[in-house]
Amino acid sequence: MALVCGIADERFSELYWKLRPPYDRGDIDGPAYWRAVVRQQELDLSRDQIATLIKLDSEGITRPNQDAVQWAELLHRAGIPLALLSNMPFELSRYVTKSFQSLSRFEYLIYSCDYRSIKPELAIYRNCLELLKVAPQDILYLDDRAENIEAAACLGINSVLFDTVEKTASRVENRFDIPVPSHGRCRQSNSQYRSTSRRSNRTEPD
């Protein structure tokens, strides 16, 4: 993407994330976002270049964490309702929904662009609570960013930091009665927790 934009890698990464919030929030669309990125370097893009950037962005940021996908499958088979909460712009969210069959396990796909709010803004978590129609204490929320965990916890949502599946499963097992992966086995549960998780396997370009 940096090459398409004509910007050095380090500077591109800086601009990519600096200007990302309005795009994830749905305040601007893909073409506006990419033009804003290159304008910082007094550059411009053709329509074909913009289309290429949107395509590369979608394909490059969506490499599934297969261990996380398998854990979601365990929870689904156990009858635990699942919801996905993710900061994603319109183009990326539609690509993800179309491309990954595993998302059919989730009752709700909550994308920031559809609610005009991004994590860790409290509004997006309030949107989730309203949509799920459950009390905060009945939700287990996993996220790979500490600031997002802290924001959700402010509203009384049970929140656990996600890093690796193994470490996260250990944290969850110590606090909640839900299935966790363990050496190919799964501890069973009768829990009624709703799990709202950011798709931490969204690999972010560094």
Side-chain angles (χ1 to χ4, degrees):
M1 290 186 290
L3 183 62
V4 175
C5 289
I7 301 174
D9 288 348
E10 185 175 348
R11 177 59 172 162
F12 172 79
S13 181
E14 175 189 347
L15 294 174
Y16 180 97
W17 292 114
K18 176 184 177 181
L19 302 177
R20 195 74 176 188
Y23 187 29
D24 283 345
R25 196 182 289 111
D27 295 338
I28 59 176
D29 62 10
Y33 167 71
W34 287 110
R35 288 193 178 101
V37 169
V38 300
R39 270 202 304 268
Q40 298 296 305
Q41 298 296 111
E42 298 184 352
L43 299 171
D44 200 0
L45 295 167
S46 69
R47 289 184 180 181
D48 286 346
Q49 286 175 311
I50 290 172
T52 297
L53 286 165
I54 291 173
K55 182 175 183 291
L56 291 173
D57 192 29
S58 297
E59 293 174 349
I61 210 167
T62 50
R63 301 186 183 102
N65 179 330
Q66 292 302 326
D67 289 339
V69 171
Q70 291 171 13
W71 191 3
E73 178 65 28
L74 289 176
L75 295 170
H76 175 71
R77 290 203 305 263
I80 297 177
L82 302 174
L84 172 74
L85 171 61
S86 184
N87 284 352
M88 285 194 197
F90 181 84
E91 291 90 344
L92 177 55
S93 66
R94 272 50 186 181
Y95 176 87
V96 165
T97 301
K98 179 181 178 181
S99 300
F100 296 101
Q101 182 61 33
S102 58
L103 291 181
S104 64
R105 306 294 186 264
F106 292 78
E107 289 192 5
Y108 297 98
L109 301 177
I110 304 167
Y111 298 124
S112 58
C113 62
D114 296 322
Y115 291 86
R116 305 301 292 272
S117 178
I118 58 174
K119 299 179 295 182
E121 296 169 356
L122 292 182
I124 191 67
Y125 300 102
R126 293 191 176 106
N127 288 142
C128 287
L129 292 174
E130 182 178 350
L131 182 63
L132 299 177
K133 294 181 171 56
V134 292
Q137 62 269 22
D138 293 329
I139 295 175
L140 171 59
Y141 171 63
L142 308 178
D143 198 295
D144 63 354
R145 294 185 180 274
E147 61 268 30
N148 297 340
I149 289 293
E150 292 166 3
C154 285
L155 296 179
I157 297 171
N158 296 296
S159 304
V160 174
L161 184 67
F162 184 104
D163 40 27
T164 67
V165 168
E166 183 179 5
K167 291 179 181 179
T168 306
S170 178
R171 296 185 192 107
V172 169
E173 185 176 23
N174 290 334
R175 293 176 57 189
F176 306 101
D177 183 28
I178 67 170
V180 296
S182 177
H183 304 294
R185 300 190 305 275
C186 176
R187 180 169 60 81
Q188 296 302 314
S189 165
N190 293 319
S191 172
Q192 295 302 309
Y193 277 107
R194 281 183 184 267
S195 173
T196 316
S197 65
R198 179 182 185 267
R199 212 177 71 86
S200 56
N201 50 305
R202 166 181 165 177
T203 305
E204 300 175 351
D206 297 322

